[in-house]
Amino acid sequence: MLEIKNLHVKLEEEDKQILKGVDLKVEAGKVHAIMGPNGSGKSTLSYVLSGRDGYEVTDGSAELDGAEILELDPEERAAAGLFLAFQYPVEIPGVGNMTFLRTAVNAQRKARGEEELSSGEFLKVVREKAKSLKIDADMLKRPVNVGFSGGEKKRNEILQMAMLEPRMCILDETDSGLDVDAMKLVADGVNALRDEGRAFLVITHYQRLLDHIKPDVVHIMADGRIVKTGGPELALEVEKNGYSDILNEVA
Amino acid sequence: MGLPKIKQDATEARLSALDLPGGEGWTRAAREDALSRLQAAGLPHKRDEYWRYTDPRSLVEAEPPMAEALPEGDEGPIFGAHERLRIVFNDGQFDADASDDLSLEGIEIERLSQAAGADLHWARDLYGTLETRGQTPVARPLATLNTAFAQDGILIRVTGRPSKPVSLIYNHISDSSDVFLHHCVKVESGAELTLLENGAAAARLNTVLEVEIADTGKFHHVRAQGRDHARRAATAIFTRLGRESVFKSFTLTVNGALTRNECVIELTGDDAVAHVAGACVGDGDFHHDDTVFITHDAQNCESRQVFKKVLRNGATGVFRGKILVKKDAQKTDGYQISQSLLLDGDSQFLAKPELEIYADDVACSHGSTSGAIDEDALFYLRSRGVPEPLAQDLLVLSFLAEALAEIDDETIAEDLIARLEGWLARRRG
Ligand SMILES: Nc1ncnc2c1ncn2[C@@H]1O[C@H](COP(=O)(O)OP(=O)(O)OP(=O)(O)O)[C@@H](O)[C@H]1O
Ligand SMILES: [Mg+2]
């Protein structure tokens, strides 16, 4: 589904190389996890894939279902089925969460040549999905993420994912800031979406999330590269020993 | 006359193109008084300090610049769902057929053009009075011009709490219409009125609204200035507030080549509250000026100014807001914020906030900012599949939300938001 080859990325404004040759292939139906020390480039990878400004791709490619995406606008990537749950969800004062969700859902439907949802239909679906994430009516009414707690913001990201039904979901530290119960809610939300036609790339520092969302493959990222790839046991190893053994081994 | 030659010439040229409207009695006297005041003051010139950021030439010159009216039906209905008493003017001409019957329990409504012979003490005492008071410390000659030459206007005396708002609807018909309208509202003690205004009105519009609010009276004002592209407008509100009275005014402006909205507020009774707010969106050949002057002359009064401007493609926004707190106006609470969202580097926002405080126990704050669109928010929206132009418009609405929140009546606020959304959607194509 997602295939990244030899991806090199530097900052547009300064001469700083952040991704130094990332190779990664995520098949449909699979859950891949990426772990790695702070500053290794995990969020950068997720931003570059979703089309944020400020980065320059100096080499390599990223394909979604065989089509190059790095030239597309962020909204085109979204319409093609890519979704990023942000490490730091953005607050948008003055735009109601509900308005935001409906605008996004309908924009994507329109881009794909599908009928827009009527407000009745939309409301029904939102209420149901919000309920399972314990997002109350008040949070739906409030401006996007404004005054939300850290955990509420993360749950709101998962609600957006559930509404948009993307096929390639990237979750950047969605577990950080979540209490144990919220972690479970978020994991349930993700698991509910798992299916043959959908893939996940889960960026995390902790095994805890992976207890709930069982990954098929675990990658270790360091200094802008994937330095090691393995099964779920790799995450357990990181949890137990940290990164130094792995990094020494590949150095 | 003692006026600089250039001013004197411009003033004479303008006056020679106008005739004092007919009628005898008190209106005639007020008009003649205004005319002589105007001859002494002269019309504004761009070298006047008070017109430093806005060139008044097209508002002053004898021939009004042409402005094409929007095709009929293009200006979507506004306040449409609201129960209201409709009073319609076409190019400043009262349209009796399109207007409702001018009677409503709790208020008296008269037309200025019919008032000359009538014995309307309250109107006679008000017409031109607050406008005259508003000439110091800064001259506002366009308002004086209006007092002299107003073709018509509505005179309202509010004695109770009418069941619905009075809604003034201004249609712009002719490409060269040059219109003066002068309204007076007298809110008696304990009475309450909501006044709505909307429509482009004319190629060139000059309005004055004088509002006298007696103790414990309340006045709410919401207007949507017409979005005809080339229209020009100079509006002035003069209000004086008695004890525990409330004045709240909100203006939405989308489009229009030139708009100068002045608001002069005098808080003369203790514990009075005055809020004035505005939101505008301008694209290209658009110049929008909010000039506010608030005088605190009583204790424990609150004033609040909230202005937001969205500018793109070389549009210009101006804000001048002054809070004057007189010596005995202790416990004054004055707040002022003006902000612009500049969607490109060609647009500009000029702000001049001023505080002049002679009392010692006051809390006054003011702030002004100018910023670009929040790139993080824009990316966030786009990453959810919202196309860039739509994402930008959502952020425009988000930016204006704080100003729109100043409107107390939610259904009216929704109307204005819908107007904005419609305008933005048409822009997007
Ligand atoms: N816009 C930027 N300006 C300057 N440095 C940047 C920018 N974006 C990323 N970097 C740098 O690139 C490196 C990778 O950052 P990134 O956020 O991708 O790391 P990460 O792996 O997600 O870290 P964490 O686990 O702490 O979230 C860091 O050294 C970071 O400081
Ligand atoms: Mg990160």
Side-chain angles (χ1 to χ4, degrees), chain A residues 50-52 73-75 78 83-84 86 90 92-95 100 103-104 107-108 145 157 160, chain B residues 374-377 379-390 394-395 397-399 401 421:
Chain A
S50 44
R52 187 190 181 123
D73 285 335
E75 54 268 35
F83 179 89
L84 168 64
F86 282 50
V90 180
I92 313 184
V95 177
F100 166 61
T103 308
Q108 291 204 15
N145 292 327
E157 292 291 288
Q160 292 164 38
Chain B
D374 178 348
E375 288 297 332
D376 287 335
F379 172 63
Y380 190 63
L381 288 165
R382 295 178 73 191
S383 79
R384 291 336 183 211
V386 182
E388 187 174 11
L390 179 55
L394 275 177
L395 295 177
L397 289 170
S398 138
F399 170 77
E421 284 174 344

Side-chain angles (χ1 to χ4, degrees), chain B residues 12 14 161 274 317 366 396 409 414 426:
Chain B
E12 271 168 19
R14 180 70 176 116
R161 298 184 178 186
H366 65 87
V396 163
D409 186 314
E414 279 164 16
R426 270 188 297 271

Side-chain angles (χ1 to χ4, degrees), chain B residues 303-423:
Chain B
S303 72
R304 186 175 163 85
Q305 304 167 55
V306 178
F307 288 90
K308 298 253 193 174
K309 297 174 195 269
V310 179
L311 306 164
R312 74 176 117 190
N313 290 324
T316 300
V318 175
F319 173 77
R320 281 183 86 130
K322 175 154 182 173
I323 306 175
L324 168 63
V325 181
K326 294 210 174 162
K327 193 161 114 307
D328 295 322
Q330 301 297 0
K331 307 249 185 277
T332 285
D333 177 0
Y335 174 78
Q336 179 195 86
I337 181 92
S338 67
Q339 296 183 306
S340 75
L341 175 62
L342 304 177
L343 295 179
D344 53 53
D346 299 337
S347 303
Q348 59 170 346
F349 177 55
L350 306 162
K352 189 172 180 200
E354 288 172 277
L355 292 178
E356 194 178 327
I357 300 174
Y358 298 102
D360 42 34
D361 183 13
V362 302
C364 281
S365 65
H366 65 87
S368 181
T369 65
S370 217
I373 206 117
D374 178 348
E375 288 297 332
D376 287 335
L378 189 67
F379 172 63
Y380 190 63
L381 288 165
R382 295 178 73 191
S383 79
R384 291 336 183 211
V386 182
E388 187 174 11
L390 179 55
Q392 205 179 58
D393 287 349
L394 275 177
L395 295 177
V396 163
L397 289 170
S398 138
F399 170 77
L400 295 176
E402 189 191 339
L404 287 152
E406 294 292 313
I407 304 170
D408 283 351
D409 186 314
E410 253 178 60
T411 59
I412 289 179
E414 279 164 16
D415 258 4
L416 294 191
I417 292 168
R419 158 65 55 97
L420 262 172
E421 284 174 344
W423 186 83

